[in-house]
Amino acid sequence: MHEFKTESKKLLDLMINSIYTNKEIFLRELISNASDAVDKLNFKSLQDPSIKVGEGDLAIRLSFDKDARTLTVSDNGIGMTADELERNLGTIAHSGSQEFKRENAEHQGDDVDIIGQFGVGFYSAFMVASKVRVVSRAFGEETAHVWESDGLEGYTIEDGERAEHGTDVILTIRENVPGVDGEQGENYDTYLSEWGLKDLVRRFSNYVRYPIQMMVTKSRQKPKPEDAGDDYKPEYEDYQELETLNSMTPIWKKRSSDVTPEEYNEFYKSTFHDWEDPARTFSFHAEGALEYDALLFIPGKAPFDLYSKDYQKGLALYSSNVMIMEKCADLVPDYYNFVRGIVDSADVSLNISRETLQHDRQLHAIANRVEKKITAELQKMRDDDREAYERFFENFGRGLKFGIYQSYGMKADELADLLLFWSAREQKMVTLAEYAKAMPEGQKAVYYAAGDDRDRLSKMPVVHGVLDRGYDVLLCTADVDEFTFQAMRTYTAKDMPKVYADDTAREAAAKAVADGAEPETEDRALELKNVASGDLDLATDDEKKQAEEASKEHEELFQAMKEALGDKVEKVAVSARPMDAPAVITTEGPVSLEMEKVMARGPEAEGAPKSQRVLELNAKHPVFEKLVAAQKAGEKEKLAQYAGLLYDQALLVEGILPEDPVAFAQAVCNLM
């Protein structure tokens, strides 16, 4: 017996117990090795015309024996000599495939597509096998050789027999391990069943370029006997048939013109387990320093768990048609977590187990290109098929908004123009760019109202006040909307009509346009303002003056109302905004009423910041006269009751229940 060296024994133990986290990938590794062996022979035949190897004859074969508990992976590839068995299998982490790739680097990806890199994949077999036997006959040799090991102390190499060139890897599968103390055991019988092997091939090796075949049991109806009577019942028999388990040609490597939409849809539904066709399908191929293929899908509907903590984002990552990761989270940003698809590249730097990636600039380069492609596709959908885009946004728009908030506004340039909001004036969904294009001359901000119901928002006095000025209001009903706007602070509207500093410049520009020049445009930063905030600055000079005069005249009234309301409000003031309501609640500072409500529903509600509320009074409303009269008459109790009623009423308009609904109801009854 050839013993593993001390260092090699430690490394082998590391291979078996530490590097791989998922036992199931052992079959992927063995199939990949078999594919490399077949590829080497195919490549050799292309270089040497005297070697007659038909590519259609090259294949990988799986077989199993339940009674003997053996699983065999066979190929008719180039095979190995005794020296190569010693070097490739007796020396851990020596990769014959990697050596071959270096020697034939200029042909990689052309007529040869070698997968192996590290020389450790073979040893993953010991995760499921108590013994591994390799029978290999090198192409052009008469004698086969047998390598055998239990993965513990060492290995043996001796002469053997094999009818033709190629390699058999025979695994003696471990016995099942029962669970102990409620912990799940190990079911190794899965690797000795048709359905188990089919599933592993489909998941990890479906697109290996050579057929992976296995004898499978099928059922068929026996011929009906000639003398069978009318009461004859059909009889069935089992039979064996050689079946190809993999599809070989990846759909993402075909030209899009050669694939029908129906084929893409079927691939999407079967691969990603969705019942509906995708809303959008797009693919692209990158060449140059980094080569890869990508096939991406935007689902028709959001999965039920999209916004749960258990949802896992990511694209399937393949390397040379072999699946490396089912969900590579680093390939898509969080705000595009709904995108499904596949990226296939032979150039990404894998870690030694090929289960995860090394985080390097290659991966970042692919992720950046994928992100830009998704953004471009969404922009195209928005512009070319608005109805489909609005359906998409209903499903996934919340994530785009959260992407801006989560990045503290840094992603606003990429995502802001993908957002949709309901226009109170247009009565439809609009983009921020469309809102800006429709603004009247002189408007300097984007106005919005935040709440949980569009109809209620449309009836709010603060919304009507802005609409009456001729300015549109965006009605925002998603819980993340206002947080998104707070993170953005401003929106840069592109190609807006230029605003001139004075009449002379404006007249000169108008004359230039009349003479045939193109109208001048500019990018304009528009502040994002909640109509319920106290600093809209929409009042005219006269309105500001009237409010200021009323504030001075009735200073004692406001002070008395503030004392009655206590710390419920920061202050009571006359409103300069036009409105029909007797009073409204506005806020000062960064926290609005709606943000306060959202945070109150969160996990840290107890310590959530509160809004700084202001009770603004309409000095032109008849109710204001009642307040003035009560204050002049010295009816302190009545004034306190009025103040409480106006405050609670304004809260109800905002969709917030009074702190004491019973007291509010009694106050209304007392007033009546």
Side-chain angles (χ1 to χ4, degrees):
M1 173 181 284
H2 303 269
E3 288 193 3
F4 293 119
K5 294 180 181 179
T6 303
E7 295 81 358
S8 295
K9 289 169 65 175
K10 292 179 180 178
L11 185 56
L12 179 58
D13 181 69
L14 184 67
M15 299 297 109
I16 299 170
N17 298 307
S18 302
I19 287 181
Y20 296 99
T21 59
N22 180 8
K23 288 183 171 64
E24 293 179 333
I25 57 84
F26 83 93
L27 188 61
R28 177 195 73 183
E29 298 297 311
L30 296 182
I31 288 175
S32 297
N33 289 345
S35 176
D36 287 350
V38 174
D39 233 346
K40 291 173 186 176
L41 180 59
N42 184 41
F43 182 68
K44 191 177 184 70
S45 70
L46 296 174
Q47 288 188 315
D48 186 350
S50 65
I51 300 175
K52 305 298 182 184
V53 176
E55 189 168 347
D57 299 328
L58 300 174
I60 301 165
R61 183 76 64 88
L62 303 182
S63 61
F64 63 92
D65 185 332
K66 285 185 178 181
D67 296 331
R69 295 192 69 79
T70 58
L71 168 63
T72 302
V73 181
S74 301
D75 67 71
N76 54 357
I78 199 163
M80 288 179 281
T81 64
D83 288 342
E84 288 170 334
L85 283 170
E86 171 76 33
R87 186 167 64 252
N88 294 337
L89 303 186
T91 306
I92 299 172
H94 174 83
S95 173
S97 292
Q98 181 67 18
E99 192 175 286
F100 183 87
K101 287 170 72 173
R102 284 196 300 267
E103 294 172 356
N104 301 277
E106 70 276 12
H107 300 288
Q108 175 75 1
D110 184 9
D111 297 312
V112 60
D113 195 9
I114 298 299
I115 301 167
Q117 295 187 48
F118 300 105
V120 300
F122 167 79
Y123 303 98
S124 65
F126 288 105
M127 292 191 298
V128 300
S130 58
K131 184 175 68 175
V132 177
R133 178 181 172 87
V134 179
V135 181
S136 188
R137 176 177 165 183
F139 182 82
E141 287 205 350
E142 298 296 326
T143 305
H145 303 280
V146 180
W147 181 98
E148 189 170 341
S149 174
D150 59 4
L152 297 175
E153 296 299 327
Y155 58 92
T156 60
I157 296 179
E158 55 189 30
D159 291 346
E161 292 185 0
R162 197 179 194 276
E164 60 176 1
H165 57 83
T167 301
D168 300 325
V169 180
I170 306 158
L171 284 66
T172 301
I173 301 297
R174 297 175 184 270
E175 297 289 340
N176 292 337
V177 179
V180 178
D181 296 332
E183 293 187 7
Q184 189 174 358
E186 295 284 357
N187 181 18
Y188 292 102
D189 287 350
T190 302
Y191 312 126
L192 297 171
S193 65
E194 284 185 12
W195 66 267
L197 295 173
K198 282 183 177 181
D199 178 62
L200 293 182
V201 170
R202 181 189 61 79
R203 285 163 53 198
F204 295 108
S205 306
N206 196 31
Y207 304 108
V208 168
R209 64 191 296 180
Y210 299 103
I212 303 170
Q213 300 172 332
M214 184 172 70
M215 294 296 294
V216 299
T217 301
K218 297 186 176 182
S219 181
R220 62 189 172 195
Q221 186 176 332
K222 292 181 178 181
K224 183 178 180 180
E226 294 182 2
D227 58 350
D230 295 336
D231 58 348
Y232 172 77
K233 293 182 180 180
E235 295 181 357
Y236 295 85
E237 63 180 356
D238 291 338
Y239 69 100
Q240 294 282 306
E241 182 176 282
L242 188 65
E243 182 178 296
T244 297
L245 307 181
N246 60 323
S247 59
M248 288 178 284
T249 305
I251 194 171
W252 58 84
K253 287 196 173 179
K254 297 179 180 179
R255 290 184 300 180
S256 56
S257 58
D258 295 335
V259 185
T260 65
E262 291 75 19
E263 287 174 326
Y264 276 134
N265 292 346
E266 187 57 38
F267 173 80
Y268 166 78
K269 288 188 286 190
S270 62
T271 303
F272 299 104
H273 312 294
D274 199 345
W275 296 101
E276 294 198 15
D277 291 341
R280 207 77 168 182
T281 301
F282 50 104
S283 61
F284 59 96
H285 174 75
E287 293 182 338
L290 191 61
E291 185 172 341
Y292 56 92
D293 295 279
L295 175 60
L296 306 177
F297 302 93
I298 296 175
K301 278 191 176 181
F304 71 93
D305 61 343
L306 178 63
Y307 298 114
S308 74
K309 63 179 181 180
D310 297 325
Y311 181 79
Q312 291 183 314
K313 66 164 184 164
L315 305 179
L317 177 70
Y318 283 72
S319 182
S320 300
N321 300 351
V322 176
M323 192 177 82
I324 305 303
M325 297 177 69
E326 189 172 5
K327 289 187 178 181
C328 180
D330 294 316
L331 285 174
V332 283
D334 288 344
Y335 44 86
Y336 288 153
N337 63 352
F338 53 85
V339 177
R340 293 170 172 172
I342 288 166
V343 171
D344 189 344
S345 175
D347 295 331
V348 291
S349 299
L350 307 177
N351 78 346
I352 197 169
S353 71
R354 293 202 300 190
E355 289 182 283
T356 55
L357 294 170
Q358 294 178 12
H359 294 264
D360 60 8
R361 59 184 181 181
Q362 296 170 325
L363 181 63
H364 290 304
I366 295 176
N368 289 336
R369 175 72 187 279
V370 167
E371 180 181 352
K372 289 178 181 178
K373 189 68 177 178
I374 295 170
T375 302
E377 200 64 29
L378 292 177
Q379 291 170 342
K380 184 178 178 183
M381 189 195 306
R382 177 199 63 199
D383 298 337
D384 298 345
D385 192 347
R386 188 56 170 263
E387 186 177 345
Y389 187 76
E390 290 189 11
R391 287 196 302 270
F392 153 79
F393 195 80
E394 185 178 354
N395 282 299
F396 305 109
R398 185 175 183 271
L400 304 185
K401 296 172 183 176
F402 191 74
I404 295 176
Y405 168 69
Q406 193 176 39
S407 67
Y408 302 99
M410 295 178 64
K411 287 295 180 180
D413 290 343
E414 291 88 342
L415 299 176
D417 284 326
L418 294 176
L419 305 183
L420 294 178
F421 302 95
W422 184 262
S423 162
R425 183 172 62 191
E426 300 294 333
Q427 290 293 294
K428 65 178 183 180
M429 300 294 282
V430 298
T431 65
L432 292 173
E434 291 165 347
Y435 177 98
K437 289 293 184 185
M439 290 192 318
E441 186 176 352
Q443 184 175 346
K444 300 177 181 179
V446 174
Y447 298 107
Y448 69 92
D452 52 13
D453 182 80
R454 187 189 300 166
D455 290 337
R456 183 182 64 78
L457 286 174
S458 66
K459 297 172 184 176
M460 287 176 58
V462 289
V463 172
H464 277 287
V466 177
L467 289 172
D468 291 342
R469 292 290 188 190
Y471 304 143
D472 196 5
V473 179
L474 301 177
L475 305 183
C476 304
T477 55
D479 56 3
V480 72
D481 282 340
E482 192 163 8
F483 293 90
T484 299
F485 282 149
Q486 289 273 13
M488 289 174 63
R489 296 184 179 274
T490 62
Y491 168 71
T492 302
K494 304 289 198 316
D495 301 325
M496 297 288 288
K498 186 174 177 62
V499 176
Y500 297 96
D502 50 47
D503 291 341
T504 302
R506 189 181 303 107
E507 290 170 2
K511 184 177 183 303
V513 172
D515 292 339
E518 289 291 328
E520 290 186 285
T521 61
E522 64 181 359
D523 293 346
R524 195 181 309 163
L526 303 172
E527 192 175 352
L528 300 165
K529 287 192 173 185
N530 189 330
V531 294
S533 64
D535 59 346
L536 290 187
D537 195 26
L538 292 179
T540 63
D541 291 340
D542 286 342
E543 289 168 339
K544 291 178 182 178
K545 183 178 180 181
Q546 291 173 8
E548 186 177 346
E549 290 174 351
S551 296
K552 290 181 179 179
E553 182 181 354
H554 303 291
E555 185 176 353
E556 292 182 3
L557 169 64
F558 303 139
Q559 185 176 349
M561 293 181 70
K562 170 66 176 76
E563 289 177 0
L565 293 172
D567 58 4
K568 293 180 180 179
V569 296
E570 291 293 313
K571 65 181 179 180
V572 179
V574 171
S575 179
R577 68 181 77 216
M579 59 179 178
D580 296 328
V584 295
I585 291 179
T586 61
T587 58
E588 294 179 341
V591 181
S592 70
L593 288 173
E594 184 61 25
M595 293 176 72
E596 181 183 321
K597 285 195 294 182
V598 172
M599 289 187 286
R601 297 194 295 264
E604 299 179 359
E606 188 173 338
K610 303 293 184 182
S611 59
Q612 297 176 304
R613 302 178 183 185
V614 176
L615 182 63
E616 292 191 14
L617 303 177
N618 182 358
K620 298 178 180 179
H621 197 280
V623 167
F624 189 75
E625 298 176 5
K626 297 287 186 180
L627 294 172
V628 173
Q631 196 271 330
K632 287 183 177 180
E635 297 174 321
K636 188 174 182 180
E637 186 176 336
K638 180 182 284 189
L639 184 61
Q641 188 180 52
Y642 284 169
L645 280 171
L646 285 174
Y647 176 77
D648 287 342
Q649 173 188 292
L651 280 182
L652 287 171
V653 171
E654 294 288 342
I656 302 174
L657 284 175
E659 291 181 7
D660 190 345
V662 174
F664 173 73
Q666 288 175 345
V668 172
C669 291
N670 292 338
L671 185 65
M672 294 175 65

